[in-house]
Amino acid sequence: YNYLNSCDENAVLVTHGDNDTFPLWYMQEVEGVRRDVRVVNTSLLGTDWYIDQMQYQVYESPPLKFSTPRSEYVYGTNDIVQIYDRVGGEDVSLKAVIDLVSNPQAKMRLTTGDMVSIFAARNLLVPVNKKRVIESGIVPAADSSLILDTIKLVIPENKNLLTKSELMILDLIANHDWERPIYFVSMGGDLNIGIKDYLEFTGFAYKFVPIK
């Protein structure tokens, strides 16, 4: 109950396992609490059927916006994506890197002859729509001077692979355009995608904000 009510209206709440998730589902399904909040379980986000479900309307929660086509997240495809920095450490738009994952001309040929997607950069830029950030309640107007024009997510040098769950959370961040708040039940859980500098502890959950 407290986790759900830590979230602003129409929020996304990212959880990381059964113990994080089943009590929230119970509160929504049985008690009818905060059905506007979309619970996203990263333990299931590696499956195609769950990614499909995230793109449906559920109660008062509109669909999530992903740009990765189903052909690139269907079972057996991109379960793990290799990070292969093709820009020499330069800063690159996260949206552009996500779009490359599904671009057939951006795939890499393995020694087996198979063509696989790659994640082509580590320093990822997300532009901030300041007007929408305030309108959607992600940051109060009183703190508008703290909002960055662009946030930068850095994938650590010692991390060479992204799981499908991490890829889809990055896809969500790249495409949500600050229309709805995103929360995490912990400091990102097993997600190691550079978001921790932008997580603000609020109530029981961590809110993703464009303030370092």
Side-chain angles (χ1 to χ4, degrees), residues 98-162:
I98 289 293
D99 288 346
L100 279 175
V101 171
S102 52
N103 184 337
Q105 297 190 355
K107 294 184 185 292
M108 188 167 65
R109 186 180 298 277
L110 301 178
T111 53
T112 60
D114 294 332
M115 300 296 290
V116 296
S117 299
I118 61 168
F119 200 83
R122 292 184 180 276
N123 299 323
L124 310 166
L125 301 179
V126 182
V128 178
N129 185 329
K130 294 186 178 182
K131 182 172 182 287
R132 193 167 288 159
V133 164
I134 293 170
E135 288 175 350
S136 59
I138 295 171
V139 174
D143 291 334
S144 60
S145 63
L146 302 175
I147 300 173
L148 301 172
D149 293 322
T150 305
I151 66 172
K152 180 177 176 178
L153 308 181
V154 179
I155 308 294
E157 286 293 331
N158 62 354
K159 182 178 176 66
N160 297 313
L161 300 170
L162 287 175

Side-chain angles (χ1 to χ4, degrees), residues 14 40-48 50-52 54 64 66 73 163-170 172 191:
V14 180
V40 179
N41 183 339
T42 56
S43 298
L44 296 176
L45 201 59
T47 63
D48 49 16
Y50 189 74
I51 297 169
D52 291 343
M54 292 298 98
L64 298 188
F66 294 125
Y73 67 74
T163 65
K164 188 178 291 184
S165 294
E166 290 174 320
L167 182 68
M168 298 312 296
I169 292 295
L170 286 169
L172 173 65
L191 299 172

